[in-house]
Amino acid sequence: MELYLNTTSPYARLARIVLLEKGLAESVTLKWCDPWADDADLLKANPAGRIPALVTEEGTTLSESMLIAVYLDGVSPNKPMIPTAGLGEVLHLTGVGQNLMDAAFNTVIARKHYGNGIDDSELGQRRSRAIQRLLKQLDGELGEIQQTSTINLGHIATAVALDYLAFRLPEANWKEEYPELQEWHAGVTARASFEQTAFS
């Protein structure tokens, strides 16, 4: 298999963490690329020019990080990332993490192309309010949860989104504002899969 990715995409990082947690790292060739440069190999695999993109052993290309995660969870039986026990809770947390990731990523991209003043637009303010609501929700849901040795897709999506927020939008200052959420996050990101895929 081949996985197209870069070092700063939260979506690509999510897919790579799932790879590592599922024990599939040796089965995949990492194809580092710049999706903003219309990388020829990436466009051949995924005409949308987006990462991550996973080319399976059968030559089928999968796009969208969550769909890639579902596929990887299915091809390796060990350590299910989407367990049937508590499925609703796992998918709920996955969705919250995905929403936070989207709001943060879209803020970063809007600033890149239109400058920081775009934050004052109606859409910019809407994204900012969403980030604050989602952080408050996550703090309420995860702030008092005890760490366990197991991890699922909801944990991964949420921890990656929080990491990305600290990496690209440090002014959100969520670690200081939500110390219990920060403690939960620190427990998850201490795993080798997170340390090996840190943003750079």
Side-chain angles (χ1 to χ4, degrees):
M1 293 188 286
E2 295 178 339
L3 179 67
Y4 288 84
L5 73 169
N6 71 6
T7 58
T8 59
S9 165
Y11 306 101
R13 187 183 183 203
L14 182 149
R16 192 174 171 210
I17 289 171
V18 173
L19 269 178
L20 291 166
E21 290 289 344
K22 295 294 291 187
L24 293 168
E26 299 300 319
S27 305
V28 177
T29 300
L30 300 181
K31 307 284 282 189
W32 301 98
C33 63
D34 179 1
W36 296 100
D38 287 343
D39 181 279
D41 289 339
L42 172 62
L43 293 178
K44 183 178 178 182
N46 181 15
R50 297 176 60 186
I51 56 172
L54 179 74
V55 182
T56 70
E57 292 179 357
E58 295 77 26
T60 302
T61 299
L62 303 176
S63 59
E64 303 300 329
S65 57
M66 291 303 173
L67 299 179
I68 291 172
V70 170
Y71 175 80
L72 294 174
D73 202 36
V75 297
S76 173
N78 66 321
K79 296 167 66 172
M81 297 292 102
I82 311 172
T84 53
L87 179 61
E89 292 180 7
V90 171
L91 296 180
H92 161 74
L93 185 58
T94 301
V96 176
Q98 175 83 57
N99 285 329
L100 181 60
M101 199 181 301
D102 289 346
F105 181 79
N106 289 331
T107 297
V108 170
I109 296 305
R111 288 180 179 182
K112 176 180 179 179
H113 291 285
Y114 302 107
N116 287 6
I118 196 67
D119 289 352
D120 296 326
S121 69
E122 184 175 346
L123 286 176
Q125 292 180 35
R126 190 169 191 269
R127 284 191 292 264
S128 179
R129 291 193 301 270
I131 288 171
Q132 294 307 315
R133 289 193 303 266
L134 290 163
L135 287 172
K136 186 174 182 179
Q137 179 178 354
L138 287 170
D139 183 61
E141 295 184 6
L142 299 175
E144 297 182 358
I145 288 182
Q146 298 296 313
Q147 292 293 331
T148 66
S149 60
T150 60
I151 191 170
N152 61 50
L153 186 57
H155 299 143
I156 294 171
T158 300
V160 168
L162 290 169
D163 255 356
Y164 186 74
L165 202 59
F167 174 56
R168 287 299 201 197
L169 302 174
E171 67 272 17
N173 207 32
W174 68 265
K175 292 185 179 181
E176 288 74 18
E177 189 164 348
Y178 299 107
E180 290 184 337
L181 180 60
Q182 192 277 333
E183 185 176 350
W184 175 89
H185 170 265
V188 175
T189 56
R191 299 176 71 90
S193 59
F194 278 84
E195 293 179 349
Q196 292 174 34
T197 61
F199 289 120
S200 61

